[in-house]
Amino acid sequence: MTVTYLDVLAAAERVRGVVNRTPVFTSRALNSHVGVEVFFKGEHLQRTGSFKFRGAYNALTLLDRAAKKRGVVAFSSGNHAQGLAYAAKLLGIPAVICMPSDAPKVKLEATAGYGAEIVRYDRFTQDREQVANEIASARGLTLIPPYDHPHIIAGQGTAALELCEEVPDLDVLFVPVGGGGLIAGSALAAHGTQPGIRVYGVEPHNAADTHASFRKGERVKIDPPDTLADGLRITIPGRITFPIVQQSVHDIITVTEPEIVMGTRYVIERLKQVIEPSAGTGPGAVLSGKIPDGVKRLGVILCGGNIEPQVLAAIMADG
Amino acid sequence: MTVTYLDVLAAAERVRGVVNRTPVFTSRALNSHVGVEVFFKGEHLQRTGSFKFRGAYNALTLLDRAAKKRGVVAFSSGNHAQGLAYAAKLLGIPAVICMPSDAPKVKLEATAGYGAEIVRYDRFTQDREQVANEIASARGLTLIPPYDHPHIIAGQGTAALELCEEVPDLDVLFVPVGGGGLIAGSALAAHGTQPGIRVYGVEPHNAADTHASFRKGERVKIDPPDTLADGLRITIPGRITFPIVQQSVHDIITVTEPEIVMGTRYVIERLKQVIEPSAGTGPGAVLSGKIPDGVKRLGVILCGGNIEPQVLAAIMADG
């Protein structure tokens, strides 16, 4: 079961009019500073505050009628939970989200606010995947994984598709790398639209499982990572996403924690756009001299804007 | 010397292609929360980060050739300084900006970065207006005031003009009030475009000189105000702006400091847009139940996004 450019195009038809066609941001000052024209795709302005809504909505529309009626389940304390809960609400599909008992109150409330049933688990004694699987089989629900699913990947690709349609002749596209759903979909979309483009993943140095896997030629598992980019704290690339990354991504760039902070803060201060640290990876790479030689036009996907107020405060107070 | 809707239209022609046509932001969650459709005009994404660039550019283009060659001078430690410096740079006009010696380094550097000559004065022993006037006469420069000038007022009105063109049938428009340049221009633009519209000023309770003047029917001077909305720290309405406010503005609403913080924070957290506290006045009024009865469609001008990183940090850390 793989995914192609045609699946991304089909997903784009399905989500049209429901997902926000998010704006593209540019900065004359930045372009002149780095000597490259940079185009930021603002998925922090997507519904529920991240690109995750795209894949979730696409996957839900593709369930058969009986599965829609029974409902869906997911495990996530982050953007996938909110994207899925809201997509399910719009489609009238019951949704159960398994969240850790100690998840931030604001995230629990946001997810519950989208009408999802929250099942809490103890993340120190219980395995979240197992909890979700048990609920799925006990209640006949369909498990919707956060990235390793063809319909999720195709849906996530629609953000890059919009960017490549709006800004032609990009030389390079920078995409944050977590489990690989966004970059796999983005690579398919970008190559389908602009055959000469090179797609680079940008991954925290502290969570470089895809970087290591890409170098080794097989999926490498790392220890639970410690990075401010909480959306990218993944220990191993997906089974479905990784082969697409191997085939369609030019290289994986890593960024350090100070580079992530610098990138996040630059976008907040200069572009006046609130992004989360996971979205600061691309700008961090841009500002730290990691743009490949010869690039004239660079696309960067800002994947989300769901930053905890205290984290935003700390980033702005820093320095 | 007064200003009319036709002056705003003429200013719009002059600034076209130079000022950013800033985007309008909406939030389904906010609309459902307050029961009104709210349209935010994003002047934080204007060049130099505030609407001030509009008026400055309009005023500079209207100088005669000799005056352009001699140059201009202004006193400001804030957005007018940056807007004027940058407009002057684009037009090749020499600019001198008088700034207090203890102005934040970031503002001094930004203004100097636009190519302006900075003259520093001691704000405890020197009067800034006098310093600027002396420089103007000694060097033959034209003084460009921050708000009390017909060409400035007409230029500032172009933001509301864009909003009213893009979003027809607004019932009410909320505009922050400092010296009155923005609200005077906005009121002219709004009434010219949508005759039935009501324009409200929103002013900090702690800097309510226009509110007091409006009630009394004449310009009232207040003590130097203490408000987080640093762009609105004015002690008396302008001689030219106030009669326009009296004639064209429906009422002045005041907002407390906590309401300003709430409004600023809401826009940052929910709309993912970085605004300065002066721009948080309108959202603060919206969120604190100050929308007039019967309003269905409300425009709100977000006047700027030049917030000090430490102020942003404090607002996010608060609560």
Side-chain angles (χ1 to χ4, degrees), chain B residues 105-172:
Chain B
K105 202 177 154 209
V106 52
K107 294 211 169 176
L108 285 165
E109 284 174 356
T111 308
Y114 293 129
E117 178 189 340
I118 311 290
V119 171
R120 298 167 82 157
Y121 66 89
D122 183 339
R123 68 188 175 92
F124 299 104
T125 60
Q126 291 181 284
D127 177 70
R128 64 182 194 171
E129 202 157 347
Q130 199 187 325
V131 172
N133 273 315
E134 281 170 13
I135 294 173
S137 38
R139 294 166 57 172
L141 306 179
T142 305
L143 182 72
I144 307 287
Y147 51 85
D148 215 19
H149 190 289
H151 301 163
I152 296 287
I153 295 167
Q156 315 306 29
T158 60
L161 187 70
E162 290 175 6
L163 176 61
C164 292
E165 282 170 0
E166 187 170 334
V167 186
D169 302 327
L170 290 174
D171 302 308
V172 159

Side-chain angles (χ1 to χ4, degrees), chain A residues 96-263:
Chain A
V96 176
I97 311 286
C98 304
M99 300 184 84
S101 319
D102 60 348
K105 202 179 155 207
V106 50
K107 293 209 169 178
L108 285 166
E109 283 174 357
T111 308
Y114 293 130
E117 177 188 340
I118 312 290
V119 172
R120 298 168 81 158
Y121 65 91
D122 182 340
R123 68 187 174 93
F124 298 105
T125 60
Q126 290 181 284
D127 178 69
R128 63 181 194 170
E129 202 157 347
Q130 200 187 325
V131 172
N133 273 314
E134 282 170 12
I135 293 172
S137 35
R139 295 168 54 172
L141 307 178
T142 304
L143 182 72
I144 307 287
Y147 50 86
D148 215 20
H149 189 289
H151 302 164
I152 296 287
I153 295 167
Q156 315 305 31
T158 59
L161 188 70
E162 289 175 6
L163 176 61
C164 291
E165 283 170 359
E166 186 169 334
V167 187
D169 302 327
L170 290 174
D171 302 309
V172 159
L173 179 63
F174 279 2
V175 186
V177 178
L182 181 62
I183 190 163
S186 297
L188 295 171
H191 288 298
T193 319
Q194 303 189 13
I197 199 171
R198 281 173 291 155
V199 177
Y200 287 74
V202 186
E203 198 171 37
H205 175 79
N206 285 3
D209 55 308
T210 298
H211 181 262
S213 304
F214 197 83
R215 291 281 177 278
K216 192 164 181 196
E218 63 181 50
R219 294 164 66 229
V220 172
K221 185 167 186 168
I222 61 169
D223 289 334
D226 181 19
T227 171
L228 193 63
D230 56 340
L232 312 179
R233 285 180 196 146
I234 303 283
T235 56
I236 185 167
R239 286 178 199 282
I240 301 172
T241 57
F242 185 61
I244 301 172
V245 169
Q246 280 186 296
Q247 193 161 17
S248 304
V249 170
H250 194 79
D251 203 357
I252 308 290
I253 296 169
T254 61
V255 283
T256 64
E257 296 299 298
E259 287 164 355
I260 292 170
V261 169
M262 174 173 63

